Amino acid sequence: MALFGSLFAHDRVLAPAWTYETKSGLLSGAAVYVNGAARAIIFGTRDGRVVCLDEQGRERWSFSTAQKLDATASWFVDETRVHAIVATPVIDDVDADGKPEVLVGSEEGILYCLDSSGRLKWKHDCGGDIRASPCVADIDGDGHKEVVIGSGNNRLTALSAAGKKLFEFQVRASVHSTPSVIPLPKRRTTLIIFGDDSGTLTAINAAQEVAWRIDLKAPITAAPVSFSDPEEERIVVGTHAGAVVCVSEHGEIVWEYRTGGSVYSAAAFADINGDGKGELVIGSCDDQVHAIGIDGKRLWTFAADFWMPMTPLTADLDGDGSIEVITGSYDHALYVLDGAGAYMMDYVPGIAGIVNQAGHYGSVLTADVGEQSGKARWTAKLSDMVVGATLLPTANGIGVVASTKDGKITLFSLRNA
């Protein structure tokens, strides 16, 4: 089945099903909520609105987070951005009432909790701009979820499900990274791990005790991601210096992989090549997406024409049993890549001495004849820079909801050509 899916992939195209125009800019992607047959697509806009669409792209509700500025304050702010929602909302049943809540932070420093109809449940002023999504998790092992959020006032804030402040943890720089909460049952603790703009990666517990700190030398806005090694949990995070760093649960650097540009967003972790092991896929401002093994070795890279800063998605879009990597670029394109990559030859052994080839030359095999490279299966052009994307299960398969800087939300799906 996978063979025929590959053979006839060229007969399908990645096509838009619908487009919703926000009439405002977008700075991040949407979140999707699925409950049985119900679907909701929720995102924040540059002018401070939280908007909910149904699966057909029709608006269900909107909520404004914009705070009124007095005459004095308006002199000292960028009015085109002051109300902006920079990060993707989080949808979760925070208070365990069986209904989802929507958590979204604003450039004005306020974290909002809305119910599933877009009504305000509570809000909390974090005291500094919020440019990363909150994390919802049980940080203290009591069976109840908490909300953890960073902000521009150099603090990490933990809140109860009802919005009550539990603690604020002070660091040296703004926290514009989404925290990760990692349970360590063997050590009977849970770590809250986050980066800040000074380049420090910090791990604390719910009692605000510091487990470890590492100076990674460059700002960290990417959320840490974790995976299980046979003996311990490992954490991977990217930096603005282009490093992708793997750290043990004890705070020791295991390996470092270098990209050629800043890494702004989290890696994706999935078995993309069907070998039974997980791999890491991460975008960089070197115009490439990088596939990396859990040993820190390069598997393949794929180059676009401009930055690829978003967190890639992984899914079997065409139902052939193989995983695709979906990512967007500032070159106005959405890419669907073969998860396994493709072997690209630099020269053909035996004829390199008589035929001009790009790469190595010679009649004797003295080096590898090529390398693994990313392979695009489908590409779609959009109207502006792609600032985020997410997956939407539909009746016809898995769709991709892409967000562009000019304020458009578009659902793409595979269709027959």
Side-chain angles (χ1 to χ4, degrees):
M1 191 72 178
L3 172 62
F4 289 106
S6 175
L7 286 173
F8 294 106
H10 63 278
D11 290 333
R12 306 178 78 180
V13 295
L14 189 64
W18 51 256
T19 297
Y20 174 89
E21 298 196 26
T22 67
K23 298 180 175 60
S24 174
L26 294 171
L27 298 171
S28 60
V32 163
Y33 175 73
V34 177
N35 182 16
R39 305 285 188 272
I41 303 162
I42 301 177
F43 55 91
T45 67
R46 190 173 182 132
D47 63 4
R49 287 179 296 127
V50 184
V51 181
C52 177
L53 309 179
D54 66 14
E55 66 274 19
Q56 301 299 323
R58 297 170 299 213
E59 185 174 320
R60 293 173 57 184
W61 54 259
S62 68
F63 175 89
S64 177
T65 67
Q67 303 290 302
K68 187 175 181 179
L69 299 175
D70 60 37
T72 302
S74 64
W75 279 92
F76 300 99
V77 297
D78 178 359
E79 292 195 63
T80 65
R81 188 184 173 102
V82 66
H83 303 304
I85 296 172
V86 178
T88 300
V90 170
I91 308 171
D92 202 311
D93 183 6
V94 180
D95 55 10
D97 66 350
K99 301 174 184 177
E101 283 76 42
V102 178
L103 292 163
V104 62
S106 72
E107 185 76 2
E108 294 163 304
I110 299 175
L111 178 65
Y112 295 86
C113 179
L114 312 178
D115 68 16
S116 58
S117 298
R119 294 183 293 261
L120 180 67
K121 296 189 74 169
W122 54 260
K123 62 182 179 179
H124 178 81
D125 189 345
C126 292
D129 55 72
I130 298 173
R131 298 184 179 178
S133 304
C135 176
V136 178
D138 180 4
I139 65 173
D140 53 11
D142 67 353
H144 301 289
K145 293 179 180 179
E146 288 81 33
V147 179
V148 189
I149 183 79
S151 62
N153 68 344
N154 302 6
R155 289 184 176 91
L156 184 79
T157 302
L159 305 169
S160 72
K164 178 183 177 182
K165 185 170 70 176
L166 302 177
F167 67 77
E168 288 182 330
F169 184 82
Q170 184 82 37
V171 292
R172 292 188 302 141
S174 297
V175 181
H176 291 142
S177 159
T178 297
S180 291
V181 175
I182 302 174
L184 300 174
K186 292 181 181 178
R187 295 171 57 187
R188 297 182 180 179
T189 190
T190 295
L191 293 182
I192 306 167
I193 302 175
F194 63 98
D196 65 41
D197 284 6
S198 76
T200 303
L201 187 67
T202 302
I204 64 173
N205 62 21
Q208 303 176 64
E209 298 167 332
V210 177
W212 44 261
R213 284 191 177 101
I214 303 175
D215 183 7
L216 297 184
K217 311 296 184 184
I220 302 167
T221 54
V225 298
S226 65
F227 64 89
S228 295
D229 186 69
E231 297 183 357
E232 65 178 4
E233 289 293 308
R234 291 189 171 174
I235 299 96
V236 174
V237 70
T239 76
H240 286 202
V244 181
V245 184
C246 178
V247 179
S248 76
E249 66 182 53
H250 303 285
E252 301 160 338
I253 294 179
V254 179
W255 52 256
E256 182 175 318
Y257 175 96
R258 301 295 303 192
T259 76
S262 295
V263 176
Y264 290 126
S265 301
F269 181 73
D271 180 7
I272 60 173
N273 57 13
D275 65 353
K277 298 181 290 186
E279 289 80 36
L280 297 152
V281 192
I282 196 162
S284 172
C285 292
D286 62 0
D287 307 346
Q288 297 185 95
V289 61
H290 299 251
I292 310 166
I294 58 173
D295 58 357
K297 302 292 178 63
R298 173 192 178 278
L299 299 178
W300 53 257
T301 55
F302 175 84
D305 293 325
F306 202 11
W307 295 354
M308 304 184 82
M310 65 167 272
T311 296
L313 310 170
T314 59
D316 180 7
L317 282 191
D318 58 355
D320 68 348
S322 298
I323 295 296
E324 285 81 43
V325 174
I326 305 101
T327 190
S329 170
Y330 281 7
D331 67 4
H332 300 196
L334 186 68
Y335 296 94
V336 179
L337 312 177
D338 189 321
Y343 194 74
M344 306 298 289
M345 298 183 71
D346 291 331
Y347 68 104
V348 181
I351 67 170
I354 58 174
V355 178
N356 287 334
Q357 305 280 335
H360 308 286
Y361 297 97
S363 57
V364 180
L365 183 62
T366 59
D368 289 340
V369 299
E371 64 180 10
Q372 202 75 0
S373 179
K375 175 186 176 184
R377 298 192 65 188
W378 296 282
T379 303
K381 292 301 272 186
L382 291 93
S383 58
D384 204 345
M385 297 177 180
V386 180
V387 296
T390 192
L391 300 173
L392 178 69
T394 72
N396 300 316
I398 300 173
V400 181
V401 180
S403 305
T404 51
K405 185 182 176 184
D406 60 359
K408 295 177 183 177
I409 302 284
T410 303
L411 175 65
F412 286 90
S413 60
L414 289 176
R415 297 182 180 181
N416 292 330

